[in-house]
Every structure is written in structure tokens, then in C-alpha cells.
Amino acid sequence: MISELKDDLILIKEDLASLELVSKEKDAVIDCLSAEMTRLKDESGTKFYLMVDAIMGFDEKLPDYGIGLTLGTRVGNSLMLEAGADYMLGSSKADLLDFSMEDLTFRAGLGWMF
């Protein structure tokens, strides 16, 4: 009877060790899936962005420089909205000091991210 109990205890101990190993493996899988879910959640949803642009064009065959600013957002996973303004500074130092509304351009955009 004591030997039977001893054998039963050995089997129970082996079963417990096996269950602990399976539990650790499942915990590792759960941790991996949880990290992946967090990463995917961070990549989706609404995100904002700000861009500063350098612009170069030509006016009477001379380089004409400008700057631009764009503010945009991604709504959900795909819809993109943006608004911006560009200002052409000119090609000489004198042009930099001469502000003109004619050199200002506003723009808006709508896009879809694939």
C-alpha cells in the first residue's frame, strides 16, 4: 500500500511538472500575442503629422526658393487629410525682405492610405 501511494505521488509529481511546462509555454504565447496586439493598436487609428518643406522653382530661368508647412492627420487606418501653405521667398536677399501675398499659396489634400 505504501509503495502504491509512493508510485502515485511520483506520477502526480511528473504530471505537475508537465503541466507547469505547458503553462509556461502558453504564457510565452500569450505574451507574444499581447505584444503584437499592442503594436498593431499603436499603428492603427488617428495620427497627426507636421511637415516642413523646402521648395525650389524657377522664375525667368533663375532659381526661386520657398518654404512650406503642412499639417495633416490620418483618420482611422486609411483616410488622410492635410492642409498647408507655401511661401516663395525669391531668388535674392532683397526678395526675402519684401513680403507679398502673391507669393503665398494655400493647399488642402484628401488621400487614402493603402
Side-chain angles (χ1 to χ4, degrees), residues 1 8-9 16 19 33 51 81 98 109 112-113:
M1 180 158 169
D8 287 344
L9 285 174
L16 182 60
L19 288 173
L33 291 174
M51 290 190 328
L81 305 169
D98 186 25
W112 191 262
M113 185 179 290

Side-chain angles (χ1 to χ4, degrees), residues 16-49:
L16 182 60
S18 175
L19 288 173
E20 286 176 345
L21 180 62
V22 169
S23 177
K24 287 179 183 178
E25 290 172 353
K26 288 183 179 180
D27 286 345
V29 169
I30 289 170
D31 290 344
C32 182
L33 291 174
S34 178
E36 181 69 10
M37 188 171 77
T38 300
R39 183 186 69 79
L40 291 173
K41 186 177 179 182
D42 288 344
E43 287 181 2
S44 65
T46 301
K47 297 213 179 211
F48 296 96
Y49 63 91

